[in-house]
Structures are given as C-alpha cells and as structure tokens.
Amino acid sequence: MSRPTLLVIAHGSRDPRHAATVHALTQRVRAERPGLRVETGFLEFNAPSVPRVLERLAAEGADEVVALPLLLTRAFHAKTDIPSVLREARARLPRLHIRQADVLGPSPLLNATLGRRLREAGIRPGDLPRTGLVLASAGSTDPEAIAVIAEIARELRHTGWCAVRPAFASALLPRTEDAVRALRAEGVARVAVAPYVIAPGRLPDRIAAGSEAAGADVLADVLGPAPELARLLLDRYDEARVRERASLSA
C-alpha cells in the first residue's frame, strides 16, 4: 500500500520570501524521507491553493492525503480556516481520503530550532546567565495559542536564560520593543530576540524592526527550513497515520 501524500498547508504571503522558505522546508522534508510525496498548498496570496492541489491529486489517482498545517499554535487558521477548506474538498472529492494532522507546536524540536537560530546569531551557552530572551511570536487572540506561547517562555526560562519574556507582533501586547526595554529596565545586561515564526514576511519584519528600535543585542533568524523543523513535520505526519490506523482498528 502506498503512503498517503503529505500536503503541507501554509498561510501564504505577498512577500516572496515566505513561499521560498516554505518550499525550501518541504524540499528538506522530501530529502529526509525519500519516496514520500510531499506537496505544498497555500490558503491565500500564493499558488497553488489548497483546493487546486487536492483536485490535482485526485485527478492523478491519489486516494489518501495527510493535510498538515504549517502553524505553530492552534488558533483561528487551524481551528476554522483549514477545516473549512478540507470539508469543502471532501465534499467535492469523495474518493480522496483527507485527514488533518496536528499543528507543529508545542514541541521540543521547535525549541531546538530556536536554539539553533540563536547560536547562529552568536549566542553561546556561557552567555545565557546574563542574557534576557524575548520570544517574539506573530500574536493571536486565541486563548489556547496565547497559553502555549506563555508556557514555552516559562520552559525556556529554565534552560539558563536570566529572564524570558514573550512578545507579539500583532493582536496582543507587549510588542518586541516593549519587551526588550522592559528587560533593560530590570537591569539585564544583554538581550536577544528570537522570532517564533516559520518564514519571513510582514510580521517577522515588524519583530526585526522592534528589536532594532529598542537596541537588542542579538536578533535570531526565523525558524525557516531547519532540519529539526523538517523532522517535526514528519513526526506530525506519522502521528496522523497512527491515529488513523487506531481509529480503524477500534
């Protein structure tokens, strides 16, 4: 029996760096698991759209798809937008079995990716006791998503940083620059900013601008096509398949 196709669902952006980063990540996933068909679809702004990818797969004779949201938290897109798109596709393509995988976060592999990007930006283990970290996410009004970011910040605080503060590029306060300045006001000697976002775009640019405006010492890159992130996509794909087999045998 052939393995289900993995369909990575990204939000999309007018910024061309976004799609380029998503495609680089899915290419790394293909390299990690040769023989697995990996497709990419976007909710908006970029092509191909999720419905068009699913229609093409059905026309080519595919029978199973695992749809994986390229999202770090369970907020509006994971709870509403993507399920709606997939429901409509199931109605139009009844022979194509589509199941939705879990979002990516939280996960130790995401924390490992953050660590990789911070090391690449110049942070060394000996720096942590005198360095404050701003965990800068896109932001959401969803309480579940907010709670996840707060919990990640608490976890990171126990890995050696002298302080960790969450910040948000939209929807919520504090902004990145506010969190950096708050750490300075508390006497923190050095401040690093870690964008908890996957790909470049308007909100990551806002994080970078806030970091520069407040004089942060270190700004890490977005998570991007890191090997840990590619492994996490495959973990979520495998978990979705295990749940499917368990439900069929129950």
Side-chain angles (χ1 to χ4, degrees):
M1 184 182 298
S2 62
R3 289 178 289 187
T5 297
L6 169 57
L7 171 58
V8 177
I9 300 179
H11 182 270
S13 170
R14 294 185 178 90
D15 188 321
R17 297 173 299 167
H18 174 91
T21 301
V22 172
H23 288 308
L25 176 59
T26 53
Q27 185 56 41
R28 186 180 282 275
V29 172
R30 293 185 189 98
E32 288 275 339
R33 190 166 296 181
L36 173 63
R37 182 170 183 176
V38 183
E39 298 284 346
T40 307
F42 296 91
L43 291 176
E44 54 184 340
F45 301 122
N46 301 106
S49 68
V50 174
R52 297 295 83 77
V53 176
L54 292 170
E55 289 165 6
R56 174 166 53 82
L57 289 171
E60 293 173 359
D63 53 9
E64 287 187 83
V65 173
V66 172
L68 196 162
L70 195 63
L71 300 170
L72 298 177
T73 58
R74 270 180 45 81
F76 181 79
H77 293 304
K79 294 178 179 179
T80 303
D81 278 358
I82 292 175
S84 176
V85 169
L86 298 182
R87 276 195 304 272
E88 292 173 4
R90 291 185 187 103
R92 291 195 318 274
L93 309 166
R95 294 186 180 180
L96 185 62
H97 182 63
I98 306 166
R99 56 187 177 274
Q100 182 176 333
D102 288 339
V103 298
L104 300 178
S107 167
L109 286 170
L110 287 173
N111 292 0
T113 307
L114 280 172
R116 170 187 290 273
R117 296 306 183 218
L118 285 159
R119 289 191 300 275
E120 291 169 351
I123 293 292
R124 298 292 176 260
D127 299 331
L128 270 60
R130 63 186 185 89
T131 304
L133 177 66
V134 175
L135 180 69
S137 70
S140 173
T141 57
D142 187 286
E144 182 180 353
I146 297 166
V148 166
I149 298 301
E151 179 58 29
I152 294 168
R154 284 192 291 270
E155 289 176 3
L156 290 171
R157 175 66 181 85
H158 295 298
T159 62
W161 300 94
C162 72
V164 180
R165 298 285 184 274
F168 307 93
S170 67
L172 293 173
L173 297 175
R175 296 286 185 256
T176 302
E177 54 269 36
D178 300 328
V180 171
R181 289 169 181 143
L183 287 170
R184 295 281 194 217
E186 293 170 14
V188 174
R190 196 164 185 240
V191 178
V193 174
Y196 191 63
V197 291
I198 293 173
R202 179 175 57 88
L203 295 181
D205 283 351
R206 189 179 293 174
I207 291 169
S211 174
E212 181 178 1
D217 301 282
V218 174
L219 172 63
D221 201 355
V222 297
L223 302 177
E228 296 89 351
L229 194 54
R231 289 199 294 274
L232 179 55
L233 265 67
L234 289 169
D235 284 352
R236 294 293 185 254
Y237 170 83
D238 292 337
E239 290 161 5
R241 295 192 68 195
V242 168
R243 284 198 305 272
E244 177 75 6
R245 288 195 293 267
S247 66
L248 291 175
S249 62

